[in-house]
Amino acid sequence: MKVLVVGSGGREHALAWKLGQSPKVSEIFIAPGNGGTRLEGTNVPIKDDDLPGLVNFAKENKIDLVIAGPELPLVLGIKEALRKESIPCFGPGAYAANLEGSKAFSKMTMRDAGVPTAPFKVFDEFDQAKTFVENKGAPIVVKADGLAAGKGVVVASTVEEAIEALDDMMVKKVFGSAGERVVVEEALKGEEASFLAFCSGEDYALLPSAQDHKAAGEGDTGPNTGGMGAYSPAPILPREKYEETAELVIKPILKLLAERGEPFTGILYAGLMYTDDGPSVLEYNVRFGDPECQPLLMRLDCDIVDIMMACVENRLPEVDVKLKDETTICVVIAAGGYPGSYEKGKEIFGIDEAEKLEGVKVFQAGTTFDEGKTLTSGGRVLGVTALGADLREAQKKAYEAVAKLSFEDAYFRRDIGDKGLKK
Ligand code: AMP
Ligand code: GLY
């Protein structure tokens, strides 16, 4: 089989790495890929939003399966575009991808499906949203409706902060049309966990729980990032709770979408907040999380292509999704300054050394390869991922590997996994 992975982050490196373990896969292409994916397959210089370019490449190279890493191509309709050429795509169609592409659609779908989520209201007019916020008081959460590169959510601790967020989104349009509509919702308190499943219509196969670390600073301080590290499982969502949690947050969504004639294929990712009243869905993503994908795929103990093909061919119950019992953890090394401005082009040292440690894999995210050197090219640079008998061992190994890696102004959190160890 020939497969094409769309995207360029650590998640896509992990996907290409896992695909490379399949005896069924003869060739892997990554568009556009990064300095790490080139070690697993062939990078092709096509961007993730260039649908005609991607479809043409897939057609000309007789690709058997396209796997969309990020949400953007899915929201833009890559599945439909590929379907016209009879090329299977692992990921949902544009309608279902709106679970991530539109916060308003997502919240309304959750409400229709009876999924627990924070009470909310949707606004298209700034004045009405402002009056609502003033009446409700803080803390309160303001979300841009559309895709805003992970920056469209403001958890405001004061009314002034919430109004400023509304002004930025609806009046100043800092996210362009993505912020013309907003969702305002109740602020929830609790610990977060990520829960992902391979889905095919109403069938699903669960992945183990994971926990991301969104804040840039240790102790969950500082600005939000794409994720500074993750581990699996998350003690807050233990295995014995998986099925009942899926009944609550995965099954009703799949059922509703199927009833609407828009069955969901791909990864459904529920971002959960564990409040005093139990889990509540903060958001859905329609793809693997990054960096959650890295520790999750390290725990996958079977051929990922078998699962993905079963999903696109509507025969998911036939496959046995096997998982390793061990714990995995991913520590992200970022460029100093991220998520604000940062420099690029720094040479990275120590990848081979780090990977000599048993059970360690360095997934590359913001890297390029130039004249024999691996250079930084993005904010999140490396995802150092390790497997251990338990969280303590996995964490120790990951940080041992981190110590072997270096580039100028490298930054990482030293407390990835600590929250899980406290449990
Ligand atoms: P989202 O993109 O909706 O997951 O939001 C990004 C982050 O904002 C989440 O991971 C939470 O940390 C936070 N967040 C979102 N919605 C809420 C909420 N209703 N209450 C508290 N925090 C929230
Ligand atoms: N790590 C969070 C996400 O991928 O959305």
Side-chain angles (χ1 to χ4, degrees), residues 330-350:
C330 171
V331 177
V332 170
I333 308 185
Y338 172 80
S341 63
Y342 52 81
E343 288 181 30
K344 300 180 184 177
K346 311 286 187 196
E347 187 171 359
I348 302 166
F349 301 96

Side-chain angles (χ1 to χ4, degrees), residues 27 44 46 53 79 102 149 155 185 332 342 360 387:
E27 259 188 293
V44 287
I46 308 172
K79 186 170 192 100
S102 162
V155 182
E185 68 178 45
V332 170
Y342 52 81
V360 169
L387 178 133

Side-chain angles (χ1 to χ4, degrees), residues 11 71 100 150 194 212-214 225-230 269 283 285 287-293 380:
R11 164 182 53 210
E71 62 281 7
E100 179 164 3
S194 307
D212 191 8
H213 294 65
K214 288 205 169 86
T225 69
M228 292 300 295
Y269 166 141
E283 64 165 345
N285 295 324
R287 39 133 188 115
F288 275 107
D290 189 344
E292 292 97 321
C293 183
R380 290 190 292 171

Side-chain angles (χ1 to χ4, degrees), residues 8-51:
S8 61
R11 164 182 53 210
E12 287 73 27
H13 188 182
L15 283 165
W17 168 80
K18 192 68 200 171
L19 287 160
Q21 295 170 10
S22 168
K24 298 190 175 105
V25 172
S26 56
E27 259 188 293
I28 304 171
F29 298 94
I30 311 95
N34 61 37
T37 58
R38 60 176 270 287
L39 304 168
E40 320 291 343
T42 308
N43 287 348
V44 287
I46 308 172
K47 287 214 184 113
D48 66 356
D49 62 350
D50 178 5
L51 264 39

Side-chain angles (χ1 to χ4, degrees), residues 88-326:
C89 173
F90 181 78
Y95 179 88
N98 266 328
L99 280 177
E100 179 164 3
S102 162
K103 300 266 187 208
F105 172 85
S106 187
K107 294 289 290 193
M108 289 186 281
T109 306
M110 287 186 227
R111 183 167 61 194
D112 293 348
V115 167
T117 192
F120 70 101
K121 252 180 128 64
V122 178
F123 293 97
D124 291 298
E125 304 290 340
F126 171 76
D127 290 334
Q128 288 173 12
K130 181 170 174 265
T131 306
F132 181 77
V133 162
E134 284 166 348
N135 289 336
K136 279 279 168 196
I140 196 156
V141 183
V142 176
K143 300 182 170 185
D145 179 54
L147 294 179
K151 297 189 180 110
V153 174
V154 175
V155 182
S157 47
T158 63
V159 168
E160 291 69 38
E161 203 185 324
I163 293 172
E164 193 185 318
L166 291 172
D167 187 59
D168 282 346
M169 290 176 195
M170 305 182 88
V171 182
K172 297 203 183 88
K173 299 193 201 291
V174 296
F175 302 122
S177 59
E180 284 172 358
R181 170 173 286 180
V182 299
V183 170
V184 180
E185 68 178 45
E186 195 174 285
L188 303 176
K189 262 190 134 80
E191 190 169 333
E192 291 181 45
S194 307
F195 195 39
L196 289 76
F198 286 99
C199 301
S200 175
E202 293 194 53
D203 297 320
Y204 58 86
L206 301 173
L207 280 158
S209 61
Q211 190 167 58
D212 191 8
H213 294 65
K214 288 205 169 86
E218 279 153 28
D220 292 335
T221 54
N224 257 359
T225 69
M228 292 300 295
Y231 60 94
S232 170
I236 189 141
L237 176 46
R239 192 195 312 226
E240 56 277 15
K241 298 263 185 203
Y242 289 177
E243 267 313 322
E244 65 177 78
T245 308
E247 294 273 337
L248 207 59
V249 305
I250 304 282
K251 205 170 172 177
I253 291 287
L254 296 182
K255 183 163 182 283
L256 184 66
L257 289 173
E259 281 166 9
R260 289 183 183 168
E262 297 283 352
F264 188 102
T265 307
I267 293 287
L268 183 61
Y269 166 141
L272 305 175
M273 178 81 95
Y274 278 81
T275 69
D276 292 341
D277 302 326
S280 180
V281 176
L282 295 176
E283 64 165 345
Y284 283 109
N285 295 324
V286 298
R287 39 133 188 115
F288 275 107
D290 189 344
E292 292 97 321
C293 183
Q294 292 82 315
L296 285 175
L297 291 194
M298 201 178 246
R299 287 191 64 193
L300 191 63
D301 203 12
C302 55
D303 190 333
I304 192 170
V305 155
D306 285 344
I307 310 172
M308 289 179 163
M309 286 311 291
C311 285
V312 299
E313 290 170 354
N314 297 313
R315 45 176 188 78
L316 183 56
E318 286 175 19
V319 298
D320 187 13
V321 176
K322 286 204 195 80
L323 297 157
K324 292 185 182 159
D325 284 331
E326 286 97 330

